[in-house]
Amino acid sequence: MNIIKKLAHVSMAFLGALMPLLLSASEAPAPTLSITLASEGQQLQFDKPSRLSAVVAAVAPYTTAPSIHSYPMYSRLFSSAKQSQAEQLKQQVLTELHNRLEEDESYQLLINEVHDWTVGYRELLSLDQDVFRIDASLDPMLAGDFDLELIEPPSTIEILGLVNTPQLLTWQPHWTASDYIKQSVRHDKGHRSYVWIVYPDGHITRSGYAYWNNEAASIVPGSVLFVGYNSDKQATIDLEQNIAKLIASRHFY
C-alpha cells in the first residue's frame, strides 16, 4: 500500500512539473499570415497559415486593380522574412560592379541603375488558380508577412543595361528581342548576340537575338530586356544573371 502511495505521489509530481510545459505550448500564439496590398494601402490578416490559393481568393474583393484572376502573371509576392537575402544580393552585385570599375568605366552605367532599385525577396510562385487546380504541390502553405503587388498589365517593354539610355518601348505583337533592340542605341560594350529577358512572372532567360543565333523568343508586355557585356566569360554571365534576378525582384510600390 505504501508503495502504491509513493508511486501516486511521484506521478503527481511528474505531472505537476510537466503542466507548465503543456500550458506554454498550448498558450503559444499560432503562426499567423499577413498580406499587405501595397497598391491599395490595405492589409489582410489571417488567424492561421493558409494556402496560396485561399490567399488569392481572399484578396480579390479588396483591390481595385485588374483582377488577380485575369492577370496572375503581373502579380508579385514578396516575403518580408527573406528581405535580407534580397538586400544581400543587391550589395553583392554592387560590390562586384565597383570592383570591375578599374578595368572598365562603363560599369558605372550598371552601378547607377542597380543602386536606384528597391528590391525585395520575390517568391517565384504562380498565382494562377488554374495552376493550383492542376497541381496541388504548387499551392504551398503560407505563414508570416508578405507584400502582394498587383500590377496593371502594361503596354510597354523596358530595355536596360548597356544601352545609351534606358527605354520604355511600346509592346508590339510578334516582335522579338531583336526588333526591340534595333529601336535602342546599344552601348559599344553591349553584347551583340545575347540579351537577358526578364518576364513579368519573374522567370529569366538568356536568349540569342543576332542573325546567326536568333531564338525569336516571345516577348510579352511588361518584359524587361537587359543588355549585358559582349563577353561570354562565366564570371560575367553569373554577374549579369544576378542583375537579372534583381530586375525581377524590383518593387513597383
Side-chain angles (χ1 to χ4, degrees), residues 201-252:
D201 64 359
H203 288 89
I204 298 164
T205 185
R206 187 173 184 257
S207 180
Y209 74 90
Y211 178 79
W212 66 272
N213 72 338
N214 195 340
E215 298 177 43
S218 176
I219 309 294
V220 300
S223 298
V224 179
L225 303 182
F226 170 64
V227 180
Y229 275 86
N230 192 33
S231 168
D232 294 319
K233 293 181 179 179
Q234 190 59 49
T236 300
I237 291 175
D238 290 344
L239 172 61
E240 292 174 356
Q241 184 175 30
N242 282 336
I243 294 175
K245 289 179 181 178
L246 291 177
I247 292 172
S249 301
R250 292 180 299 173
H251 278 291
F252 283 175

Side-chain angles (χ1 to χ4, degrees), residues 17-219:
L18 184 61
M19 191 62 69
L21 297 179
L22 296 174
L23 287 175
S24 62
S26 64
E27 292 173 356
T32 58
L33 173 62
S34 172
I35 304 292
T36 298
L37 301 176
S39 59
E40 307 298 327
Q42 296 205 45
Q43 188 176 69
L44 276 65
Q45 297 283 350
F46 298 76
D47 59 4
K48 60 182 179 180
S50 299
R51 295 283 178 190
L52 179 57
S53 58
V55 171
V56 170
V59 160
Y62 292 91
T63 177
T64 57
S67 171
I68 191 172
H69 304 303
S70 301
Y71 305 102
M73 73 181 302
Y74 295 107
S75 301
R76 299 164 175 243
L77 186 68
F78 295 90
S79 170
S80 298
K82 301 175 184 176
Q83 175 63 28
S84 61
Q85 295 182 40
E87 294 171 355
Q88 183 178 1
L89 179 61
K90 179 179 176 179
Q91 188 55 53
Q92 175 186 327
V93 166
L94 285 172
T95 298
E96 178 69 17
L97 291 173
H98 277 288
N99 290 341
R100 291 178 176 229
L101 263 181
E102 294 183 2
E103 64 184 72
D104 193 332
E105 292 183 356
S106 64
Y107 279 99
Q108 188 64 52
L109 292 172
L110 301 185
I111 290 173
N112 294 342
E113 286 188 358
V114 174
H115 181 270
D116 290 340
W117 296 339
T118 300
V119 299
Y121 187 94
R122 184 176 182 182
E123 299 285 1
L124 292 182
L125 297 170
S126 173
L127 302 182
D128 190 334
Q129 291 279 19
D130 289 334
V131 170
F132 306 145
R133 283 189 283 268
I134 294 171
D135 188 347
S137 68
L138 299 177
D139 186 16
M141 192 73 75
L142 300 181
D145 297 330
F146 294 86
D147 290 330
L148 179 59
E149 295 185 357
L150 306 177
I151 310 301
E152 185 171 353
S155 58
T156 58
I157 65 98
E158 190 175 10
I159 301 182
L160 299 174
L162 289 171
V163 289
N164 284 359
T165 304
Q167 284 184 280
L168 280 177
L169 298 176
T170 302
W171 176 77
Q172 302 290 343
H174 313 303
W175 273 27
T176 65
S178 177
D179 296 311
Y180 289 109
I181 290 177
K182 287 177 183 176
Q183 305 303 311
S184 65
V185 181
R186 187 183 60 213
H187 191 280
D188 58 5
K189 297 291 181 69
H191 209 299
R192 298 176 177 84
S193 301
Y194 286 95
V195 66
W196 293 90
I197 304 174
V198 183
Y199 290 99
D201 64 359
H203 288 89
I204 298 164
T205 185
R206 187 173 184 257
S207 180
Y209 74 90
Y211 178 79
W212 66 272
N213 72 338
N214 195 340
E215 298 177 43
S218 176
I219 309 294

